[in-house]
Amino acid sequence: MTYCLGIKVKEGLVALADTRITAGTNTTTKKKMYVTQQDNYSMFIMTSGLRSVRDKAVHYFEELISEGVVYNKLYKAVNAFGEQIKRVAEEDKASLERSGLKFNLNTIVGGQLKDDKDHKLFLLYSEGNWVELDEGSPYVIIGNSGQGKAILNRVLNENSSMKQALKAGFLSFDSTRVSNNDVDFPIDVVLYKKDSFAIAEHRYEQKDMEEISRIWAEKLKEALDDIPEEWMDKTFEKIQ
């Protein structure tokens, strides 16, 4: 499994991806974030699924760009990456399934290209079709998403700042990490501010975030202690 999160707010985009790769009993660290950036062209891709499928699809897409193909709107680049996923499916799906492996590659694509009026965030499925995230859906997770959604649902909206989005995103990742041994540090973070056409990347190691994790755990315990208890009295009286 993996954990990849994309958040869209009015100010810009925040993306976070873990780097844990689990194969049987073996674990390794691999980057799951692909960034391409040129003049008036900023785009990132995060993937969850079979590593071999991901690497092949990204390689094919990189080849298109290196050969001079230019996209003026992000949805067109998303379509092109979707075509590469279909291409890999035609080449490898049957043999993977014969080996007992499911063809699987979900993708988050974000950024802003020359003729996009604002920044965009897309969820691309294994079949090559996609949906665009709008104001009513400020985030999308692929991979191991169960434990990480609660805080995002409670605190995120389109008016959240990018700093708020990154804080919530990290806490969402941390909740997933402590509940699953297939999601872990390091984590790669991407920031994109609307109309800037400049993507910033940064990698956080576990030692960088230990204090934040500790503070969050303490705040949760304090919040639990602060919740009124009178509503429980009638129930606990039954066991006296």
Side-chain angles (χ1 to χ4, degrees):
M1 291 295 289
T2 189
Y3 181 88
C4 295
L5 166 68
I7 302 172
K8 179 183 177 182
V9 294
K10 287 182 178 179
E11 186 182 0
L13 300 171
V14 174
L16 183 154
D18 86 313
T19 56
R20 171 67 63 93
I21 299 291
T22 303
T25 58
N26 297 320
T27 59
T28 56
T29 296
K30 296 288 185 181
K31 189 173 183 178
K32 300 171 186 175
M33 187 90 71
Y34 165 74
V35 174
T36 178
Q37 192 160 263
Q38 304 171 26
D39 291 339
N40 296 324
Y41 188 109
S42 297
M43 175 181 174
F44 63 83
I45 295 173
M46 299 185 291
T47 56
S48 170
L50 286 175
R51 182 74 189 187
S52 62
V53 173
R54 180 264 183 202
D55 286 353
K56 201 171 186 180
V58 170
H59 179 78
Y60 286 164
F61 184 72
E62 283 182 309
E63 193 171 49
L64 290 175
I65 294 175
S66 66
E67 291 173 352
V69 177
V70 177
Y71 306 101
N72 65 325
K73 291 189 175 183
L74 190 61
Y75 85 87
K76 295 181 180 180
V78 174
N79 280 340
F81 191 71
E83 289 301 316
Q84 306 318 306
I85 294 175
K86 293 176 184 177
R87 177 182 173 185
V88 176
E90 290 179 0
E91 295 173 350
D92 296 347
K93 185 176 182 179
S95 58
L96 286 170
E97 290 181 348
R98 284 196 297 270
S99 299
L101 298 172
K102 182 181 178 181
F103 184 90
N104 180 26
L105 187 70
N106 290 313
T107 308
I108 297 172
V109 183
Q112 185 175 7
L113 306 189
K114 179 181 178 181
D115 293 330
D116 287 319
K117 292 182 179 179
D118 61 4
H119 48 301
K120 305 284 185 179
L121 190 65
F122 294 86
L123 171 60
L124 178 62
Y125 298 101
S126 297
E127 294 77 15
N129 57 318
W130 50 260
V131 293
E132 181 179 358
L133 277 292
D134 57 25
E135 294 178 354
S137 305
Y139 76 89
V140 60
I141 300 173
I142 54 176
N144 207 330
S145 62
Q147 291 80 16
K149 289 183 176 181
I151 184 172
L152 299 174
N153 289 338
R154 288 179 180 273
V155 304
L156 276 186
N157 60 64
E158 62 183 76
N159 296 310
S160 300
S161 69
M162 290 177 66
K163 285 188 175 181
Q164 289 173 322
L166 181 53
K167 279 196 289 186
F170 170 71
L171 297 179
S172 173
F173 157 78
D174 205 44
S175 297
T176 305
R177 178 187 65 86
V178 299
S179 303
N180 300 273
N181 60 10
D182 55 5
V183 173
D184 208 348
F185 288 97
I187 53 174
D188 291 321
V189 169
V190 157
L191 303 177
Y192 177 77
K193 193 170 183 179
K194 180 181 179 180
D195 296 332
S196 67
F197 295 102
I199 289 177
E201 295 183 81
H202 189 79
R203 172 165 286 191
Y204 289 94
E205 303 286 346
Q206 185 166 3
K207 60 182 175 59
D208 301 323
M209 304 304 295
E210 284 177 343
E211 181 65 6
I212 303 302
S213 295
R214 184 192 64 78
I215 292 172
W216 175 236
E218 289 183 358
K219 293 290 185 182
L220 284 176
K221 292 174 184 176
E222 290 174 7
L224 182 63
D225 290 338
D226 289 342
I227 291 175
E229 298 183 350
E230 292 79 6
W231 59 277
M232 297 187 288
D233 290 346
K234 290 183 178 179
T235 304
F236 275 89
E237 286 172 1
K238 296 179 179 180
I239 62 173
Q240 291 179 357

